[in-house]
Amino acid sequence: LKSNPSNNEEKEAQTQLTKSDELQRLHSQALSAYQQEDYEAAISLLDEILAVCVWDAELRELRAECYIKEGEPGKAISDLKAAAKLKNDNTEAFYKISRIYYQLGDHELSLSEVRECLKLDQDHKQCFSLYKQVKKLNKQIESAEEFIREGRYEDAISKYDSVMKTEPEVTVYSTRAKERICHCLSKNQQATEAIKLCTEVLQLEPTNVNALKDRAEAYLLEDMYEE
């Protein structure tokens, strides 16, 4: 602008420069808040910056980290998906999205995202390790559900026992496995065991409709009509 000044351009440049300084100040505050583990404040500051710097992948990744810490995985996924598109070969974003889906119990979406990471870098250690785990778990669950469709309840129970051994850390999988084993026991006329296991699931998830229905079926087998 110094080489070719005009009043309108000068004014516009000054406005943008002022805004730029303000955004840099907000960025410093956001980083400081993040380092001090005040994630709510960091999110609020990053919201302001991203309203202007819409295409900044790193800021979106930082906000995603804050969302993860604040227990808002859905919002974190949204930011990470944007970051994966904005930055070439963003294996880290795909890895994080896959991990979040895995922790939420969505093994199919987790598998899909970790494959995207390996498409970019087939030697990515973290992604390959996660891929092996998710693929194994996914195969066991698919196999168990196939057994249920075929009425092979003993085989399905055995397969869901394997699911719990494959992933003992993430409770959503063991709860879901117990829910499906309860269903198999009920269908297999093993009422006492079904009632016991369904009750265990309902202590963890009192509004689990499937467990309520399967326990009701088991109570019917035992002539426990009031229950």
Side-chain angles (χ1 to χ4, degrees), residues 54-144:
V54 185
W55 314 115
D56 193 311
E58 281 170 18
L59 289 176
R60 285 190 180 275
E61 284 174 24
L62 181 61
R63 189 169 67 177
E65 282 298 315
C66 295
Y67 282 137
I68 291 166
K69 301 284 190 189
E70 284 289 287
E72 296 198 66
K75 290 180 179 178
I77 286 170
S78 176
D79 265 344
L80 287 166
K81 283 194 169 181
K85 287 195 181 94
L86 291 167
K87 202 157 81 181
N88 283 341
D89 300 343
N90 197 344
T91 51
E92 198 58 32
F94 284 117
Y95 172 71
K96 284 178 183 174
I97 295 167
S98 179
R99 274 216 66 82
I100 295 170
Y101 277 135
Y102 186 75
Q103 296 291 328
L104 291 173
D106 200 328
H107 51 94
E108 287 170 335
L109 279 175
S110 175
L111 190 59
S112 165
E113 295 294 333
V114 81
R115 278 180 174 142
E116 291 301 316
C117 172
L118 290 171
K119 276 184 199 170
L120 295 171
D121 178 6
Q122 60 187 22
D123 298 322
H124 194 289
K125 281 184 183 172
Q126 286 176 308
C127 284
F128 188 67
S129 172
L130 181 61
Y131 171 71
K132 282 197 297 184
Q133 174 73 0
V134 186
K135 192 182 177 190
K136 183 180 179 183
L137 192 75
N138 196 55
K139 198 172 178 184
Q140 287 173 334
I141 292 170
E142 280 180 354
S143 179

Side-chain angles (χ1 to χ4, degrees), residues 5-71:
S6 79
N7 284 343
N8 283 347
E9 286 171 346
E10 188 84 35
K11 199 172 177 184
E12 173 67 10
Q14 276 310 130
T15 306
Q16 296 287 15
L17 195 58
T18 306
K19 191 186 279 184
S20 169
D21 287 343
E22 171 67 4
L23 289 173
Q24 282 183 323
R25 188 179 61 77
L26 290 172
H27 187 214
S28 297
Q29 287 178 347
L31 287 173
S32 174
Y34 177 77
Q35 280 152 7
Q36 287 165 25
E37 299 181 11
D38 186 352
Y39 303 114
E40 202 178 325
I43 289 167
S44 175
L45 291 159
L46 288 165
D47 286 347
E48 276 191 74
I49 306 167
L50 279 159
V52 182
C53 307
V54 185
W55 314 115
D56 193 311
E58 281 170 18
L59 289 176
R60 285 190 180 275
E61 284 174 24
L62 181 61
R63 189 169 67 177
E65 282 298 315
C66 295
Y67 282 137
I68 291 166
K69 301 284 190 189
E70 284 289 287

